[in-house]
Amino acid sequence: MRKAIYPGSFDPITFGHQDIIARSSSIFDELIVGVLNNSAKNSLFSVDERVSMLRELTKDIPNVTVDSFDGLLVDYMKESGATIIVRGLRAVTDFEYELQIAQTNHVENPAVETVFLTTNLKYSYLSSSVVREFAAYGGDISKFVPAPFVDRIYQKYNINR
Ligand code: PNS
């Protein structure tokens, strides 16, 4: 039984995240989408809102569950029984940071492996921060995030489109 976790901030969810979830859920037996509950970070959506949006997005994928965690990822993995971390790599600029985290997590717990999926070319430019920036200025974010969440993001910025 291969249980993986796709951890992240998901603030907000993008098509890039959706793509990684769909592809990794077909590789592993079970996939947990783990939303980091980082109180120090000024987030657009609360953790509960993000968990609920991710549940809505993944409701038809039977081997995907959504949860939040705080503290160290390796500790949450022990609790949840996941041994594989999934991360998306968009460009070489992601690599240094991702390599360091993957190696640190592996040193902390040698049973933990990180698997990288290369992001779909269609979404290689995309990030949650780009979505937030566009939304804040009333730009069109419909190409960046799944349709059910577009208006919810604008609402956070009091934008009517
Ligand atoms: O979507 P993000 O913000 O790039 O995701 C980063 C995340 C959540 C994967 C990373 O910050 C994380 O795992 N945080 C939990 C705390 C932890 O375990 N830190 C150790 C990394 S060296």
Side-chain angles (χ1 to χ4, degrees):
M1 175 70 101
R2 293 196 186 282
K3 193 169 186 176
I5 178 161
Y6 177 37
S9 303
F10 306 104
D11 190 36
I13 307 156
T14 68
F15 280 130
H17 297 134
Q18 187 180 28
D19 178 61
I20 297 288
I21 292 169
R23 286 160 59 204
S24 49
S25 67
S26 70
I27 297 174
F28 302 106
D29 299 307
E30 275 183 47
L31 180 74
I32 303 169
V33 181
V35 181
L36 175 65
N37 188 354
N38 183 354
S39 50
K41 222 173 165 181
N42 231 346
S43 56
L44 184 63
F45 287 96
S46 71
V47 172
D48 287 347
E49 286 172 319
R50 282 178 270 159
V51 166
S52 131
M53 289 191 287
L54 280 159
R55 286 199 175 129
E56 201 176 318
L57 188 75
T58 58
K59 63 180 187 313
D60 295 326
I61 317 179
N63 63 338
V64 172
T65 54
V66 182
D67 197 6
S68 62
F69 71 98
D70 44 33
L72 288 175
L73 177 59
V74 285
D75 290 341
Y76 174 71
M77 290 176 75
K78 264 200 190 122
E79 236 175 74
S80 62
T83 54
I84 302 154
I85 301 169
V86 177
R87 293 284 286 171
L89 273 185
R90 286 166 302 194
V92 72
T93 42
D94 283 340
F95 183 73
E96 214 171 316
Y97 170 71
E98 295 295 340
L99 181 68
Q100 186 183 27
I101 294 190
Q103 289 176 329
T104 310
N105 285 332
H106 188 72
V107 168
E108 279 288 323
N109 182 356
V112 164
E113 296 289 355
T114 301
V115 169
F116 295 108
L117 294 188
T118 52
T119 305
N120 188 316
L121 264 185
K122 280 195 293 192
Y123 310 124
S124 59
Y125 62 91
L126 195 49
S127 67
S128 294
S129 56
V130 160
V131 174
R132 291 196 300 269
E133 182 88 0
F134 262 78
Y137 292 105
D140 181 7
I141 57 166
S142 62
K143 293 191 186 75
F144 304 156
V145 301
F149 311 123
V150 169
D151 283 341
R152 279 186 240 181
I153 296 168
Y154 286 134
Q155 275 163 20
K156 290 282 178 186
Y157 295 103
N158 293 320
I159 300 248
N160 288 314
R161 274 184 60 109

